Amino acid sequence: MALTVAPTEGYDSLVSVEQANAYWIGMADGRWEALGDYEKEAALRRGTQYVLARRVKPENLDPVHTRVKAATCEAAMLAASGELYGVIDAKPVLREQVGAIAVIYGMPSNGGRARFPVIDDLLRGLIVGGGVVELVRA
């Protein structure tokens, strides 16, 4: 099924396959080129879901902001590799002992949610509540 690209009504992707191809050629990353069109479309749909879940401000969606497109491409690559919504161990084992059985669990970092700094950086200032507040002394 072909992608419906934003800002078209009922869109399922913020980026077309052609735009994503151009992005990854510019980044000199051949992993994207190795994917088939069906895989690229599926990855762009999942990447769009991820980016929109970050609550992008409406004014950055029509037209779609350049950095939102780039974040979607980055998320799509992670989706294609299975890293975007991978399962995160709730409490990783830090130490294990076999004799007299001892296991020590650690707390997951970042609340157990994976972080993707490049996506966070690209979306900075373009999402609701995602900006940095600068405090200035009067």
Side-chain angles (χ1 to χ4, degrees), residues 82-96 103-115:
E83 296 175 60
L84 187 61
Y85 281 114
V87 176
I88 298 170
D89 192 357
K91 288 192 175 187
V93 176
L94 298 179
R95 185 173 158 255
E96 195 172 85
V103 176
I104 297 177
Y105 294 97
M107 292 306 294
S109 61
N110 196 35
R113 186 172 181 106
R115 289 195 45 132

Side-chain angles (χ1 to χ4, degrees), residues 9-60:
E9 179 97 16
Y11 67 87
D12 56 1
S13 181
L14 296 170
V15 180
S16 69
V17 170
E18 293 77 20
Q19 290 169 325
N21 289 345
Y23 178 84
W24 287 111
I25 287 170
M27 293 296 183
D29 192 324
R31 294 176 297 163
W32 184 256
E33 189 177 329
L35 299 173
D37 285 343
Y38 181 76
E39 293 168 304
K40 290 177 182 180
E41 289 178 3
L44 287 168
R45 284 185 184 97
R46 182 67 73 200
T48 294
Q49 287 177 335
Y50 183 85
V51 168
L52 292 178
R54 309 277 82 63
R55 298 180 27 190
V56 177
K57 294 176 184 174
E59 62 267 23
N60 296 315

Side-chain angles (χ1 to χ4, degrees), residues 69-129:
K69 289 180 181 181
T72 302
C73 290
E74 293 286 344
M77 180 69 85
L78 289 165
S81 69
E83 296 175 60
L84 187 61
Y85 281 114
V87 176
I88 298 170
D89 192 357
K91 288 192 175 187
V93 176
L94 298 179
R95 185 173 158 255
E96 195 172 85
Q97 181 180 336
V98 176
I101 306 172
V103 176
I104 297 177
Y105 294 97
M107 292 306 294
S109 61
N110 196 35
R113 186 172 181 106
R115 289 195 45 132
F116 306 106
V118 68
I119 296 172
D120 294 341
D121 288 348
L122 287 167
L123 293 177
R124 183 168 288 122
L126 303 176
I127 58 176
V128 176

